[in-house]
Amino acid sequence: MQYQNEQASRLEISDDKGRLDVPLIHRFLSEEAYWSLGIPLATVQRAINHSLCFGGYVDGQQVAFARVITDRATFGYLSDVFVLPAHRGRGHSKALMAAILAHPALQGLRRLMLATSDAQGLYAGFGFQAPAYPDSLMERYQPDIYQLAR
């Protein structure tokens, strides 16, 4: 699937994993993303292998990424969403979100979730909100797992 956004007309979005710049993705996630500092390359590659991935490209160069962990039937979890700092403020994150939500494999999901500490406004514009029943959600959270694995 390829998606061209009119507002961010230079951004091409593709779900072709063969086009992903894995070293770039790893570098951003391991060095700049607050949620995955220190993540090993092998972990990033395994995550890509088992997810529906989206790359955003300007003039053939990757500038954005997101992935959805999903069974493609009932549930999805949006993760690792980023636009490189030099390409922010151009509507790329909105184009990426629109492409993700329009993807055929993600239609009819009962629940699509995500976690964010800094982009609630972006996601609210696409219908995301606080959980309806937060008391029913549980997690097993290991925030230092990448540092401990070294």
Side-chain angles (χ1 to χ4, degrees), residues 27 64 105 128:
R27 187 169 42 259
F128 287 86

Side-chain angles (χ1 to χ4, degrees), residues 26-77:
H26 174 252
R27 187 169 42 259
F28 185 88
L29 292 177
S30 67
E31 297 175 8
E32 297 186 46
Y34 65 84
W35 62 89
S36 58
L37 293 174
I39 190 169
L41 175 59
T43 302
V44 171
Q45 187 63 66
R46 194 167 63 244
I48 288 170
N49 291 347
H50 295 284
S51 300
L52 176 59
C53 296
F54 299 84
Y57 305 89
V58 173
D59 298 328
Q61 298 297 310
Q62 187 168 354
V63 302
F65 177 74
R67 66 187 183 92
V68 179
I69 303 105
T70 182
D71 61 10
R72 298 177 183 230
T74 64
F75 179 80
Y77 185 85

